């Protein structure tokens, strides 16, 4: 049987690093196994699901290179869920309940105050036809709970190892709301079964759902998949990421922070695993290194600074072709490989290339604070064409003529040619600046 996994976000908000890490791990798992990856939108919460969030999810995954082989949308499948619900009702596994949310809260509070777990007491199972008729005549509509078997539920989790739950320690889950709409606990199982998902890889916030859902798989006659529950990412202080979603959304990392897709992928593929985090330029390399057995049970910490450092390391390695589109989007249409190779060692974000473009291609007010020396240097500028050896030839001649060396030689030249104390190697910049500009800048002119 071929491996099939899914990433099943709810389009109720922007994807953040925590969600997209699960997408990536599923994708890597599929690619490694030669299996397929399904993108499923869990959009049955019609009040909170929005088309723009669905589009955002597709955009983010595409940007990262996480292409999907299959696509499904839960809101297209209500007919199928109704069919399954009808069968579960007929077999007595779904039963109608009439408690209001307030009544349920009271029940829970009372159990908790007695030091007991807040498990639903199945009072609705004891209702007779006349009770139900009376409740419905009062205008109450039923929601429907799944009757769990009070037997052990066990699975071998690919991350957590053997997991054991007692059915009797779990509340019968509500699968159908009062308005007839099916809930995630059911829809996810129906989809996983119908779409032949072999491995469910998701966050450890779903461990208790898994216990319940295994029984639902069995009740609907679906093959129970293998499960893997990954610890959720926290921030550097150990707090859950949910409170900082805005700044950690994939969209803001891309659009505001200038993070490269492979920087995010290189980090998220390795975070919380036994592998070192290293810059990788292609997803194929991550596929080759991926093994779910490397995922540890310890809580991984996501540090935006680490991501930015990795972004810089990736930029220092990326060839021009991989950033040409981004440079053009910054308005640097004429940027070429020579420019990119000159400036990339000084960048942590592609957008910073604009500053160096301004130095090589726009007027710069030079810091020409040693005019006599600069005039001597200008007189020694070689004729063009210039190449990567020009800087060495020129400064060799300046050194021989003036007797200056080291910082006394190089810093005034850098300050005059670029207007700055630091920057990319002048060997690389000088040919980009060109003789005309260089000569003017050495003369203290803005050029
Ligand atoms: N829509 C669910 C969520 O975002 C999917 C969980 C699952 O993978 O089953 O939490």
């Amino acid at each position: 049987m071929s491996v099939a996994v899914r990433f099943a976000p709810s389009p109720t908000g922007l994807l953040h690093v925590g969600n997209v890490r699960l997408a990536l791990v599923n994708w890597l798992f599929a690619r490694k196994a030669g299996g397929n990856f399904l993108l499923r939108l869990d959009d049955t919460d019609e009040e909170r699901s929005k088309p723009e969030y669905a589009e955002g999810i597709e955009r983010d995954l595409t940007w990262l290179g996480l292409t999907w082989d299959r696509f499904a949308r839960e809101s297209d499948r209500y007919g199928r869920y109704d069919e399954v619900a009808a069968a579960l009702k007929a077999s007595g596994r779904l039963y109608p309940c009439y408690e209001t949310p307030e009544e349920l809260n009271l029940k829970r509070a009372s159990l908790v105050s007695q030091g007991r777990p807040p498990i639903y007491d199945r009072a609705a199972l004891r209702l007779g036809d006349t009770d139900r008729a009376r409740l419905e005549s009062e205008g109450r509509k039923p929601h429907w709970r799944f009757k769990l078997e009070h037997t052990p539920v066990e699975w071998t989790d690919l991350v957590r190892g053997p997991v054991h739950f007692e059915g009797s320690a779990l509340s019968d889950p509500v699968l159908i709301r009062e308005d007839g709409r099916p809930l995630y606990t059911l829809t996810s199982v129906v989809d996983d079964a119908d779409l032949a998902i072999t491995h469910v890889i998701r966050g450890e916030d779903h461990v208790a759902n898994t216990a319940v859902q295994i029984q639902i798989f069995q009740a609907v006659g679906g093959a129970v998949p293998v499960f893997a529950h990954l610890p959720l990412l926290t921030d550097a202080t150990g707090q859950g990421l949910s409170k900082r979603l805005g700044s950690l959304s994939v969209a803001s990392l891309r659009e505001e922070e200038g993070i490269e897709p492979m920087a995010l992928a290189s980090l998220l593929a390795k975070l919380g695993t036994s592998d070192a985090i290293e810059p990788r330029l292609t997803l194929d390399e991550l596929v080759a290194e991926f093994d779910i057995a490397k995922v540890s049970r310890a809580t991984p910490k996501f540090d935006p600074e680490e991501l930015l450092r990795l972004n810089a390391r990736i930029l220092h390695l990326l060839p021009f072709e991989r950033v040409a589109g981004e440079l053009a989007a910054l308005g640097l249409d004429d940027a070429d490989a020579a420019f990119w190779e000159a400036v990339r060692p000084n960048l942590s974000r592609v957008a910073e290339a604009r500053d160096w473009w301004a130095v090589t291609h726009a007027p710069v007010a030079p810091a020409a604070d040693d005019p006599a020396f600069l005039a001597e240097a200008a007189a020694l500028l070689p004729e063009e064409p210039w190449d990567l050896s020009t800087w060495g030839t020129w400064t060799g001649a300046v050194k021989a003529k003036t007797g200056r060396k080291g910082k006394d030689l190089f810093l005034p030249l850098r300050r005059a040619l670029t207007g700055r104390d630091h920057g990319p190697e002048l060997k690389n910049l000088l040919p980009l600046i060109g003789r005309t500009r260089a000569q003017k800048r050495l003369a203290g002119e803005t050029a």
Side-chain angles (χ1 to χ4, degrees):
M1 189 169 43
S2 81
V3 162
V5 297
R6 85 295 196 280
F7 174 55
S10 304
T12 56
L14 299 173
L15 283 188
H16 59 83
V17 286
N19 312 127
V20 90
R21 165 175 171 256
L22 289 167
L24 176 65
V25 170
N26 271 287
W27 189 92
L28 292 170
F29 187 91
R31 292 290 171 267
K32 182 86 184 197
N36 76 80
F37 175 74
L38 163 75
L39 171 60
R40 182 183 91 202
L41 297 179
D42 284 1
D43 58 351
T44 54
D45 181 344
E46 289 181 1
E47 291 78 27
R48 294 171 58 228
S49 296
K50 300 262 183 319
E52 57 269 32
Y53 290 133
E55 285 157 22
I57 289 166
E58 296 193 27
R59 192 178 320 120
D60 291 346
L61 295 181
T62 304
W63 172 71
L64 269 173
L66 307 185
T67 44
W68 48 96
D69 310 300
R70 296 190 289 169
F71 178 85
R73 199 191 300 275
E74 290 201 323
S75 59
D76 290 340
R77 293 174 41 81
Y78 285 128
R80 175 66 183 139
Y81 307 136
D82 288 348
E83 205 174 276
V84 173
L88 289 173
K89 286 175 187 174
S91 65
R93 292 303 292 277
L94 262 185
Y95 62 95
C97 302
Y98 294 86
E99 294 91 346
T100 62
E102 295 73 30
E103 287 164 351
L104 290 172
N105 279 340
L106 279 177
K107 283 188 191 212
R108 272 193 291 265
S110 144
L111 287 169
V112 169
S113 72
Q114 297 164 51
R116 291 163 56 195
I119 295 172
Y120 177 62
D121 62 8
R122 293 184 161 175
L125 272 182
R126 295 186 290 274
L127 297 173
D129 287 344
T130 47
D131 301 313
R132 281 193 287 269
R134 177 178 48 76
L135 287 161
E136 294 199 16
S137 73
E138 288 170 11
R140 297 206 192 200
K141 289 212 168 61
H143 54 272
W144 297 76
R145 286 187 192 260
F146 179 72
K147 191 171 167 229
L148 289 168
E149 309 259 21
H150 285 180
T151 51
V153 185
E154 285 167 340
W155 74 92
T156 303
D157 196 287
L158 294 184
V159 175
R160 303 167 72 82
V163 183
H164 173 107
F165 275 87
E166 284 301 327
S168 56
L170 299 162
S171 262
D172 288 345
V174 177
L175 299 190
I176 311 286
R177 307 200 312 189
E178 214 177 83
D179 62 5
R181 211 90 69 59
L183 287 166
Y184 154 79
T185 312
L186 174 64
T187 56
S188 181
V189 170
V190 175
D191 295 340
D192 289 342
D194 288 354
L195 299 173
I197 296 300
T198 58
H199 294 77
V200 171
I201 304 170
R202 57 187 176 185
E204 68 182 6
D205 50 332
H206 285 290
V207 170
N209 280 341
T210 296
V212 162
Q213 288 181 325
I214 285 176
Q215 288 209 7
I216 303 176
F217 273 105
Q218 289 160 343
V220 304
V224 179
V226 175
F227 287 91
H229 293 88
L230 275 65
L232 300 182
L233 300 186
T234 66
D235 67 15
T237 68
Q239 300 259 41
L241 291 182
S242 56
K243 296 187 195 72
R244 304 178 43 201
L245 295 194
S247 62
L248 295 180
S249 70
V250 176
S252 90
L253 292 175
R254 174 179 62 236
E255 281 146 32
E256 277 137 52
E257 302 300 324
I259 297 298
E260 293 301 308
M262 280 313 300
L264 189 58
S266 297
L267 180 65
L268 294 180
K270 302 295 177 62
L271 210 55
T273 76
S274 49
D275 278 352
I277 294 167
E278 293 292 341
R280 295 287 178 252
L281 301 190
T282 63
L283 289 171
D284 285 346
E285 293 166 78
L286 295 176
V287 172
E289 293 163 337
F290 179 81
D291 182 352
I292 194 135
K294 293 179 181 171
V295 176
S296 125
R297 285 197 63 179
T299 303
K301 290 197 167 71
F302 174 80
D303 176 0
E305 295 300 320
E306 184 175 18
L307 179 58
L308 193 56
R309 284 194 298 273
L310 198 56
N311 203 58
R313 292 176 67 194
I314 293 223
L315 289 184
H316 304 168
L317 298 168
L318 273 184
F320 172 67
E321 308 79 71
R322 293 276 299 271
V323 290
E326 273 187 88
L327 292 171
L330 291 170
L332 312 186
D333 307 275
D334 298 330
D336 57 9
F339 169 77
W340 174 247
E341 278 155 31
V343 304
R344 71 181 178 183
N346 287 70
L347 307 180
S348 19
R349 302 174 162 95
V350 171
E352 293 161 2
R354 263 192 304 227
D355 300 343
W356 299 115
W357 185 259
V359 166
T360 52
H361 292 79
V364 164
D369 25 36
D370 201 344
F373 166 68
L374 294 175
E376 280 188 290
L380 293 167
L381 275 175
E383 289 305 318
E384 287 183 317
W386 284 2
D387 60 23
L388 296 182
S389 68
T390 306
W391 171 255
T393 315
W394 177 46
T395 54
V398 177
K399 183 176 172 184
K401 177 89 195 291
T402 63
R404 292 209 193 196
K405 53 184 197 279
K407 204 174 153 198
D408 289 341
L409 171 66
F410 297 121
L411 189 59
L413 296 179
R414 175 178 289 283
R415 286 170 51 77
L417 290 169
T418 69
R420 299 151 197 245
D421 289 355
H422 302 283
E425 283 192 54
L426 282 164
K427 165 171 83 87
N428 298 321
L429 285 187
L430 190 64
L432 301 172
I433 292 170
R435 194 172 197 280
T436 312
R437 275 211 167 91
Q439 206 158 29
K440 290 189 179 160
R441 290 180 190 177
L442 292 166
E445 289 171 45
T446 297

